Amino acid sequence: MPGCTGFRLRFISLSILILVISATSGTAREYLVMTWNLMDMDLFDGRGTERVPWQLEAEEAIAETLRSVGPDIVLIVEAPSFTELECFVERNDLDYRTVHVRQQSGRRDFADSMALLTRERVAGAALETPPVPGSVRKPETAYLDWSYRGLLVAEYDSLTIVGVHLKSPWDGKRRSYEIRDSQARGLLDYLNTVEGNLIVLGDFNDSPGRDEKERAFGVPDTIGIIEGELLRSPGDEVTHEKGFNPDHIFIRGGRVGFRRIEETDWNLSDHRPVWTTVGF
C-alpha cells in the first residue's frame, strides 16, 4: 500500500536523522534489528529433494520481507537447519552471514533452534542453558529447564545479542506459567554475567501486563519481570495469529525506537516479524 510505504520511508528517514544527531553526542552505532518466529520455517520439506509450490512461494515472501525492511540483524526463532538457512540466503542473494545454534539434531514435532542472519561478522556464538531459580537439575540436563531451547548468544566487538524463546503456556497449566517465569529470572541472572551493551529479542510467549491466567494463578507478569532490568521497545500491537503480543525487543545500555510490525500473511507463520532501531 502506498500509504504504508510512505510511512516506512518517513520512519527510516527519522531514524537516519536520529543517528546523525546521536553521532555528535557520542553514540557510536545504530542497528536495525528484527525478530521473527517462522514456525520451523519448513521450506525444504516436500517430496524427496523437491519442494511443494507453497514452500517456494513462502520462501520468496520471506526473502522479500527481509529485503523490504533491510534489518542489520535478524533473529529467526524456530529456524531450519544451518544448511537450509545458508541455501536460503544464497538462493535469494541476501547479504547476511548465518549464525546457528541447535539444542538437538534432526527436525522435531516442536522447534528447538534459533539462528541469526547478520551483516557483520560475530566474534563468537554459543547455545547457553544457564541455571534457572529453583531448579535441581545437573548441568548436563539444564537444557530441560529451557524447554529444549536455551539461549542463542552472539558476541560482537562491543555488543552481545541474546535470542530467546521462552516456554509457551499453551496448555493453560499453572506449572507452564511458573516455568516461563523461572526462565525469565534465569535469563536476567545470566545477563548479569554479561558485560556491555545488550540486545535481547525473540518470542517471550507473553504479552505485557498480567493476563487472566496470571492473576488466577497468582504469578507475576513475565514481561514485567524482564522490564525490571531491560528497556523494551514500546509496542502493544498483535504479533501472533491468535491475537497475542509475545514478540519483543529489549536492550541494555543504549536507546531503542518504537517497535514496528510487518503485516505478513499468516500462511508464512503464526507470528509476524517485528523490528526497531537500536543505538549505542
Side-chain angles (χ1 to χ4, degrees):
M1 295 174 59
C4 293
T5 301
F7 176 80
R8 182 179 300 147
L9 289 174
R10 291 195 295 274
F11 179 82
I12 294 174
S13 297
L14 178 59
S15 298
I16 294 173
L17 177 60
I18 292 172
L19 174 59
V20 172
I21 294 172
S22 298
T24 63
S25 60
T27 298
R29 181 67 193 274
E30 183 168 277
Y31 301 88
L32 197 160
V33 297
M34 172 187 283
T35 178
W36 195 355
N37 184 326
L38 276 170
M39 202 167 60
D40 211 14
M41 198 174 173
D42 285 342
L43 301 181
F44 283 72
D45 292 350
R47 296 168 297 181
T49 59
E50 299 179 2
R51 290 181 294 156
V52 295
W54 76 262
Q55 291 166 327
L56 298 173
E57 294 170 3
E59 175 177 327
E60 182 177 346
I62 292 168
E64 179 55 35
T65 300
L66 295 179
R67 281 190 290 265
S68 175
V69 177
D72 301 301
I73 299 168
V74 185
L75 174 73
I76 298 179
V77 181
E78 301 193 15
S81 71
F82 176 78
T83 300
E84 290 170 335
L85 196 53
E86 284 272 89
C87 291
F88 163 74
V89 169
E90 181 178 349
R91 271 198 314 275
N92 291 280
D93 196 26
L94 298 173
D95 183 25
Y96 290 114
R97 303 173 187 269
T98 302
V99 178
H100 192 282
V101 296
R102 194 172 185 91
Q103 181 67 55
Q104 298 172 328
S105 62
R107 196 178 296 282
R108 300 273 175 164
D109 290 337
F110 54 89
D112 54 15
S113 63
M114 288 181 284
L116 280 184
L117 298 181
T118 173
R119 298 195 189 280
E120 295 186 24
R121 184 184 298 276
V122 299
L127 177 70
E128 300 288 350
T129 53
V132 301
S135 175
V136 295
R137 297 189 190 278
K138 297 179 179 180
E140 57 268 25
T141 57
Y143 68 91
L144 294 172
D145 288 326
W146 290 95
S147 310
Y148 296 91
R149 291 164 178 159
L151 304 171
L152 181 153
V153 180
E155 297 180 356
Y156 293 73
D157 290 339
S158 58
L159 172 68
T160 301
I161 306 287
V162 179
V164 174
H165 190 186
L166 299 188
K167 167 71 174 176
S168 171
W170 60 272
D171 57 8
K173 295 181 179 179
R174 180 190 185 104
R175 177 60 178 156
S176 294
Y177 286 84
E178 292 173 340
I179 290 173
R180 189 184 64 191
D181 284 354
S182 294
Q183 291 174 343
R185 297 180 193 279
L187 167 67
L188 293 177
D189 288 345
Y190 173 76
L191 295 181
N192 286 334
T193 70
V194 179
E195 297 181 355
N197 299 324
L198 285 171
I199 299 176
V200 183
L201 71 171
D203 179 359
F204 293 80
N205 269 307
D206 189 37
S207 301
R210 294 181 76 195
D211 60 31
E212 182 179 348
K213 284 283 190 179
E214 289 169 333
R215 290 192 294 271
F217 291 145
V219 297
D221 174 46
T222 298
I223 295 301
I225 293 172
I226 300 171
E227 283 187 300
E229 297 191 25
L230 302 176
L231 178 63
R232 183 174 68 91
S233 176
D236 296 316
E237 306 91 338
V238 168
T239 71
H240 189 276
E241 187 175 15
K242 293 184 178 180
F244 303 126
N245 174 22
D247 305 282
H248 305 284
I249 299 170
F250 293 86
I251 69 161
R252 185 185 73 191
R255 64 186 69 183
V256 63
F258 281 88
R259 188 189 65 180
R260 312 310 305 176
I261 310 296
E262 291 300 300
E263 295 188 359
T264 50
D265 197 308
W266 294 120
N267 68 1
L268 297 182
S269 172
D270 56 354
H271 292 250
R272 281 177 168 161
V274 302
W275 58 274
T276 193
T277 52
V278 176
F280 295 102

